[in-house]
Amino acid sequence: MKAKKVILIIEASKTGFGIYGEGFPVTAYGNTIEEAKQDLKRVIAEVLEFCKVEGITSDPALNNGNLEFIYIQI
């Protein structure tokens, strides 16, 4: 399966960095940009595992975890 390219925004706050994308079903947060990126990977893995355990279809935007991220920092 081909990796789906996803454009995500990294936004700084007073306390850390958030990652989100338009139409993308998960968000992430960390004290640093790298922590936020790791949190994103963790959250995606947890959502996919939950869907598998519950026998439900994951959001198509997650492409079964086969994703390539393009980050835009604002």
Side-chain angles (χ1 to χ4, degrees), residues 1-65:
M1 178 185 300
K2 186 177 179 182
K4 178 180 180 179
K5 292 183 181 182
V6 179
I7 298 172
L8 297 174
I9 295 170
I10 299 175
E11 186 170 355
S13 71
K14 290 181 181 181
T15 59
F17 297 86
I19 298 178
Y20 60 92
E22 185 176 333
F24 197 66
V26 299
T27 61
Y29 180 82
N31 292 323
T32 66
I33 291 174
E34 192 55 42
E35 282 181 16
K37 288 179 179 180
Q38 291 303 315
D39 187 50
L40 179 68
K41 291 177 185 178
R42 180 190 59 77
V43 171
I44 290 169
E46 287 178 2
V47 169
L48 292 173
E49 180 63 21
F50 174 81
C51 290
K52 182 179 176 182
V53 168
E54 295 297 319
I56 57 177
T57 303
S58 63
D59 190 306
L62 294 177
N63 199 37
N64 292 320

